[in-house]
Amino acid sequence: MIVRDARLVPVTPGRDVPDVPVDVLVERGRVVEVGPRLTRPDGVEEIEAGGRWLVPGLWDQHTHLGQWSLTSTRLDLSAADSPDHALDLVRFWLAEHPGRPLVGFGHRPAVWERQPTVAELDAVAGETPVVLIAGDAHHAWLSSSAQRALGLEVRDDTISENEWFAAYADLPGLVGNDGISPTGYLNSLHRAAAKGVVGVVDFEFGGGPSDWVERWTEGCDVLRVRVATYADRLDEVLAAGHRTGDLLLPGDDRLTMGPLKIISDGSLNTRTAWCCEPYADGGLGAANQSADELHALLARAHARGLEVATHAIGDAAVAHALSVYAATGARGSIEHAQLVARDDVRRMAAVAVRASVQPAHLIDDRVLTEQIWPGRSERCFAFRWMLDAGVPLALGSDAPVSPLDPWLAIAAAVHRGADDEGPWHAEQALTPGEALAASVDFQPTVGAGSRADLVLLERDPLAAGADAAEVARQLRSMPVALTVAAGRVVHSAL
């Protein structure tokens, strides 16, 4: 493949790129030459870029692809502003689908004036199982019949954290598995490719390498995928001898082993994120593992060649995870790092772990943060602190908690607000170049020797604007003309 007349974007500060359009020659999944008017080898496909802007392929470093694939089949509760509103949506859906089990997703009850009850859901659902998953995916509102069907002891409050994660694994048996068929995954992968995504890290619950190998052979070989595992399948992964970065299929570097994923605390919306100081209501959240359990998991993974991705949202969880990384020598990432102490940002750099962050979460959480973490918002989503301290930043979505859309993440990191909002702690904002650099899997530029993961854009992603809000609007609506993953065209609007 040869891409002609493309403008290279200087993703890494200080790295020179030609200031005129160039040609890019790709062979066997690598860029082999960049320069003006290259000779096209016989039989090589030619793509005319027409002066468009070329950047390394974008990655989403934190997804739950199965859940993201299911969003189109689930009742959207994101607009529900009260239990009564959510119940009205459920009532209408059940009237349209009598007797059919319902799964909804996206409500955020932490900002509701009152909390929902199972009794009022039962009054609407009757014996039809209804499962309403909160937008943070850390808790759910289940009808009594759904609780019984999932083997839970029936009670009149929400199911959260480890108990909910265990119940979620049984959800396909309750509602059917059609939504996570290869076709469902394939649709999600193509939607991602249309946004310029060439690779994802998949943290899906209950999944693992063997599932992805099967999926791959069924036609889901579109993008690069790094497949994580959880503690419940760690023995299986270690028995297979998988190490982070290993190919899961011989000769195909697109499907590889990812990290061990550990959820060390909860979430802000569930008020289970583990904090050093109390929430406004007096709670501190909690750790999901004891100190010994977390240490043992990291040490075992590190000894067998697995990186570790540790979910830590509260500052106490971040501090504890960093201590365990330091004690075990494990490598990997802190996932989310939503509330951090300044000293712990410096420690993050010292123990050489990445900060895998989801900027679009700040759009959803800014109001709630001010309510339940009052006086701490300057330490939330502290991207500038992290970057200035030398912590490698990797942007993602946590789809379906936020949409699998790297341009939404980049725009949120730059503007720190939605289109109709002013910036929230603009001192922690990134520049467009910094946010883009945190979205390309640490590829410095498109150049000879780089992976043939390319995205052709209709606009310059580093173009200046009147203010951060205008720049963010332009980024959020970025048109993608072409996406090439591992040397193959996976999306084209040319």
Side-chain angles (χ1 to χ4, degrees):
M1 174 190 301
I2 189 166
V3 180
R4 292 212 182 273
D5 196 30
R7 298 177 184 273
L8 300 188
V9 176
V11 173
T12 302
R15 183 176 289 267
D16 292 332
V17 300
D19 59 2
V20 295
V22 295
D23 299 343
V24 177
L25 178 62
V26 170
E27 293 180 353
R28 295 180 298 278
R30 288 279 168 179
V31 174
V32 296
E33 190 175 0
V34 174
R37 303 312 303 171
L38 299 179
T39 300
R40 178 171 66 89
D42 291 341
V44 169
E45 178 186 10
E46 183 170 312
I47 296 172
E48 180 56 56
R52 294 175 176 87
W53 287 264
L54 192 67
V55 299
L58 305 177
W59 274 72
D60 191 315
Q61 299 282 349
H62 190 125
T63 69
H64 299 270
L65 271 177
Q67 294 181 67
W68 176 242
S69 300
L70 285 166
T71 52
S72 63
T73 70
R74 291 174 170 172
L75 176 63
D76 182 4
L77 297 173
S78 59
D81 57 11
S82 68
D84 294 325
H85 188 181
L87 290 168
D88 285 343
L89 294 172
V90 169
R91 186 180 293 107
F92 180 81
W93 191 95
L94 291 175
E96 294 287 315
H97 308 85
R100 181 175 163 187
L102 166 63
V103 178
F105 177 82
H107 62 294
R108 295 183 179 272
V111 297
W112 291 351
E113 291 185 358
R114 68 175 183 85
Q115 292 304 293
T117 68
V118 173
E120 62 186 331
L121 184 55
D122 285 348
V124 172
E127 288 303 310
T128 301
V130 174
V131 178
L132 307 181
I133 306 170
D136 64 0
H138 276 249
H139 68 285
W141 179 16
L142 285 74
S143 68
S144 295
S145 60
Q147 293 183 53
R148 288 192 294 269
L150 293 173
L152 298 167
E153 182 179 345
V154 176
R155 61 176 190 263
D156 199 35
D157 58 0
T158 56
I159 311 298
S160 64
E161 298 305 334
N162 290 340
E163 186 180 14
W164 163 240
F165 300 145
Y168 183 84
D170 294 327
L171 198 56
L174 176 65
V175 297
N177 203 35
D178 291 344
I180 50 175
S181 66
T183 300
Y185 274 94
L186 192 60
N187 288 339
S188 292
L189 294 167
H190 281 300
R191 287 162 59 200
K195 295 288 187 179
V197 173
V198 300
V200 298
V201 181
D202 186 19
F203 289 117
E204 187 55 79
F205 299 118
S210 59
D211 303 85
W212 261 107
V213 168
E214 180 179 354
R215 202 170 289 132
W216 205 256
T217 61
E218 293 174 331
C220 291
D221 58 334
V222 178
L223 307 180
R224 297 184 184 273
V225 179
R226 293 178 188 144
V227 186
T229 189
Y230 285 79
D232 62 344
R233 295 186 72 169
L234 181 58
D235 287 344
E236 173 188 328
V237 168
L238 297 182
H242 295 315
R243 301 166 66 90
T244 296
D246 284 354
L247 307 188
L248 295 178
L249 284 170
D252 194 335
D253 68 354
R254 295 172 300 159
L255 183 65
T256 57
M257 187 67 219
L260 168 66
K261 172 70 181 298
I262 297 172
I263 303 178
S264 77
D265 75 336
S267 74
L268 175 67
N269 281 269
T270 312
R271 292 180 173 84
T272 48
W274 185 23
C275 300
C276 296
E277 303 168 69
Y279 290 80
D281 64 4
L284 287 169
N288 285 342
Q289 298 89 20
S290 70
D292 288 344
E293 288 171 338
L294 188 61
H295 188 284
L297 282 169
L298 265 72
R300 188 178 181 211
H302 179 56
R304 300 291 294 275
L306 286 176
E307 289 191 355
V308 182
T310 304
H311 164 121
I313 286 182
D315 52 358
V318 172
H320 182 57
L322 292 174
S323 295
V324 179
Y325 275 105
T328 60
R331 291 291 178 263
S333 61
I334 298 290
E335 300 292 322
H336 309 303
Q338 189 163 333
L339 177 67
V340 295
R342 189 67 179 268
D343 286 346
D344 285 331
V345 171
R346 300 185 182 102
R347 282 210 299 155
M348 200 179 299
V351 299
V353 296
R354 299 182 301 279
S356 175
V357 296
Q358 300 74 43
H361 287 0
L362 68 85
I363 298 173
D364 297 322
D365 285 354
R366 61 184 291 178
V367 172
L368 180 61
T369 297
E370 299 291 359
Q371 291 176 356
I372 66 178
W373 280 345
R376 279 170 268 182
S377 58
E378 79 284 353
R379 299 194 284 117
C380 291
F381 303 97
F383 308 144
R384 174 54 54 195
W385 283 359
M386 295 173 186
L387 199 65
D388 288 351
V391 177
L393 283 182
L395 304 192
S397 65
D398 199 13
V401 179
S402 292
L404 205 169
D405 181 350
W407 298 106
L408 175 62
I410 290 169
V414 169
H415 176 50
R416 294 184 65 90
D419 281 347
D420 57 350
E421 297 176 319
W424 186 52
H425 288 286
E427 71 276 7
Q428 295 287 6
L430 302 180
T431 67
E434 290 166 341
L436 181 62
S439 304
V440 295
D441 197 46
F442 305 103
Q443 294 293 293
T445 189
V446 175
S450 65
R451 296 193 303 247
D453 299 331
L454 313 172
V455 179
L456 197 61
L457 305 173
E458 296 286 358
R459 295 198 295 263
D460 180 359
L462 305 187
D467 54 29
E470 175 57 29
V471 170
R473 278 191 288 272
Q474 293 296 314
L475 289 168
R476 194 175 290 113
S477 61
M478 180 63 68
V480 174
L482 182 78
T483 305
V484 176
R488 300 193 315 168
V489 174
V490 293
H491 165 74
S492 178
L494 293 174

